[in-house]
Amino acid sequence: MSVTRHPDAMIPASTPIAPRLVLAPTRGRTVLDGGWWPRSWDPAAELPGLLVALTERHGRIRNVVLNLRAWDDRFRRLTVGSDVVRFGWFDSLDPAVLVATTDRDTQIDLLVVPPSIPPAAAERAMAIAADPANLRRAPDILAAVRVVPARASTASTESYAEWDNEGGGNGVKGRDSRVSPMRE
């Protein structure tokens, strides 16, 4: 596996780690398809294992969308085995959400539990997100387990809107109000 950067390629030093992931038993008309608790905000370390797990369950993942400010680094493509997954990084996506799209255009919405959350709260949040009867959105789940995403509440005084899937703005502040150009 390698992270594709322009112009250099970076190869992670270790094999993908098993993700801390809880998926809903079936896909249906749910708000979220599960919860994921990364160990860090380093996407090169965290995403390969998640993509392998999602591919095993849902088929090839072709695209992933994440919050621009929550993660330590950004890249446009990640090679997982023989597949290349494209990434989009947006200010408007809630930091507590990851959206993956399969080759069959199936959308997988995951709660992203901040790495610093205590284990009991993280496990509770992931279980709620994976419950087929759950009607709460990602930020509401984190609030229910008394968790405030650390990255979402620092530095900036300007609010940004949540992405369509989250139903509009929630007043969560981003780390930085400037939009950085994305690497190709």
Side-chain angles (χ1 to χ4, degrees):
M1 274 169 249
S2 66
V3 176
T4 305
R5 296 177 186 260
H6 182 64
D8 301 320
M10 181 181 81
I11 299 172
S14 62
T15 58
I17 53 176
R20 298 183 291 191
L21 176 68
V22 178
L23 294 172
T26 59
R27 288 205 31 91
R29 294 186 169 276
T30 60
V31 176
L32 295 164
D33 299 300
W36 174 49
W37 183 27
R39 290 168 177 82
S40 73
W41 290 111
D42 177 4
E46 299 298 332
L47 290 167
L50 175 66
L51 292 171
V52 167
L54 290 177
T55 298
E56 288 172 357
R57 173 83 178 266
H58 297 288
R60 183 181 178 273
I61 303 298
R62 106 181 116 94
N63 189 22
V64 174
V65 180
L66 295 158
N67 178 273
L68 176 70
R69 307 272 175 223
W71 295 87
D72 292 338
D73 197 9
R74 291 177 287 288
F75 42 80
R76 299 293 300 235
R77 290 175 216 78
L78 179 70
T79 304
V80 179
S82 61
D83 293 328
V84 176
V85 180
R86 296 188 180 277
F87 285 81
W89 303 89
F90 297 92
D91 243 354
S92 58
L93 181 64
D94 191 286
V97 176
L98 174 145
V99 179
T101 307
T102 69
D103 267 350
R104 293 170 285 180
D105 288 328
T106 301
Q107 181 172 312
I108 303 161
D109 297 326
L110 296 178
L111 165 72
V112 178
V113 179
S116 61
I117 298 311
E123 290 169 7
R124 198 166 51 252
M126 290 189 299
I128 293 168
D131 182 348
N134 172 51
L135 297 177
R136 291 186 243 176
R137 302 202 179 279
D140 299 330
I141 292 171
L142 294 180
V145 296
R146 297 192 172 142
V147 172
V148 177
R151 296 288 177 119
S153 62
T154 60
S156 177
T157 58
E158 292 184 30
S159 296
Y160 63 88
E162 274 184 320
W163 196 24
D164 303 29
N165 287 351
E166 291 298 310
N170 71 347
V172 175
K173 296 174 178 34
R175 278 198 308 196
D176 190 347
S177 61
R178 297 178 306 246
V179 175
S180 302
M182 292 194 310
R183 289 179 241 168
E184 196 58 45

